Amino acid sequence: MSSHAKHPSATIKKLWVLYGYTYDGLLAFWPYRHLLDLVEAKLRLRAGLRVLDLGCGTGNMLVRSLGHAGVTATGVDASSSMLKVAGRKLRSFRDAGHLELVQADVQAYLEAQPDNSYDRIISVNVLYAIADQTALWKELMRVLSPNGAIIATTSVRPGSGPIIKEHFEHSSVWVLLRPRLIGVFLIDALINIFGHTGHFAFPDEAKLRKAVAASGASWVSTDVCYGGPQNGVNILFEVTHQPGA
């Protein structure tokens, strides 16, 4: 789930490293697991598809993607600690030749790929860390196969109240006291602070739609999530080459 601008500060680099050691605390958090469920359903995976997970973090969406027989995947992340965890988690898929993990800047990685390289591209809570959305979507659509799809989720408004409420509706308060999950919440708070200081840019739906349109792509659908379908703080959206796909 992590990436960064092309020239991140030393502080931001350290933040991503620290995040890698705490991030899987989110697996105990019901809204996060449900978010992954929603992304997986949108992917419509089947044998033969090539998947790219940009900002793959500790590999939680890669685990789900590679659980579909015949899928091959590449995970890209800037954080060495994130990829270390992902590598342990997904060792059997790497050994079988179904998975490649790459430590790289997202934009730089995309620019180095051939046209039509991937059938599905995943972006889970990564877009806020990429400054130039227009350049990003141009490259995303170039490497996406003609019948492919991009499934992305990103925060479009601040606040954790709806997410916590959604958790309480499905799980207990005691889960929130787990050390790694507390660590995630603290780092997320730092990310929000850095967002206010210009280190990150949280694009709203209008800005994202503008960048997608500039790439010549089609915005297929939008769902509100991560806090519920009415009050969620994220949008989950699909982008393709085909209008109305």
Side-chain angles (χ1 to χ4, degrees), residues 23-242:
Y23 190 76
D24 274 355
L26 279 170
L27 291 172
F29 190 47
W30 192 92
Y32 175 73
R33 296 198 308 272
H34 183 57
L35 180 67
L36 299 186
D37 290 341
L38 295 174
V39 173
E40 183 179 3
K42 286 279 189 181
L43 286 169
R44 303 183 297 276
L45 293 173
R46 62 180 185 275
L49 293 183
R50 303 160 297 172
V51 174
L52 173 62
D53 189 345
L54 287 177
C56 66
T58 59
N60 294 327
M61 273 309 307
L62 289 170
V63 168
R64 289 165 174 257
S65 298
L66 290 164
H68 294 260
V71 169
T72 58
T74 299
V76 179
D77 203 282
S79 169
S80 59
S81 64
M82 291 276 198
L83 290 174
K84 185 176 181 180
V85 176
R88 290 197 301 266
K89 192 182 297 182
L90 295 155
R91 182 174 300 160
S92 62
F93 293 106
R94 294 180 77 181
D95 291 346
H98 301 312
L99 170 69
E100 180 183 17
L101 294 174
V102 180
Q103 184 177 358
D105 172 84
V106 162
Q107 187 72 16
Y109 178 83
L110 288 172
E111 291 171 358
Q113 302 312 299
D115 294 356
N116 308 323
S117 297
Y118 296 99
D119 304 300
R120 298 288 187 271
I121 299 177
I122 305 166
S123 171
V124 175
N125 294 351
V126 176
L127 297 179
Y128 70 86
I130 302 172
D132 191 339
Q133 291 294 315
T134 299
L136 172 69
W137 284 94
K138 178 181 177 181
E139 289 302 313
L140 284 171
M141 299 314 297
R142 182 183 63 79
V143 304
L144 183 68
S145 65
N147 294 314
I150 298 171
I151 307 300
T153 178
T154 190
S155 175
V156 292
R157 66 185 183 90
S160 57
I163 313 172
I164 299 298
K165 181 180 178 182
E166 186 180 40
H167 174 83
F168 287 160
E169 289 171 353
H170 299 276
S171 188
S172 73
V173 65
W174 305 112
V175 170
L176 303 182
L177 301 179
R178 295 184 181 185
R180 284 201 300 175
L181 189 53
I182 291 172
V184 169
F185 293 155
L186 291 174
I187 292 172
D188 282 347
L190 288 173
I191 288 172
N192 284 326
I193 292 170
F194 281 126
H196 290 301
T197 59
H199 286 82
F200 300 123
F202 289 86
D204 59 18
E205 183 174 344
K207 183 175 181 179
L208 289 169
R209 282 181 174 271
K210 183 177 180 180
V212 167
S215 74
S218 294
W219 185 291
V220 177
S221 64
T222 307
D223 296 292
V224 176
C225 58
Y226 212 36
Q230 283 79 41
N231 300 312
V233 301
N234 276 30
I235 57 169
L236 170 62
F237 62 99
E238 179 177 355
V239 172
T240 73
H241 288 288
Q242 310 298 325

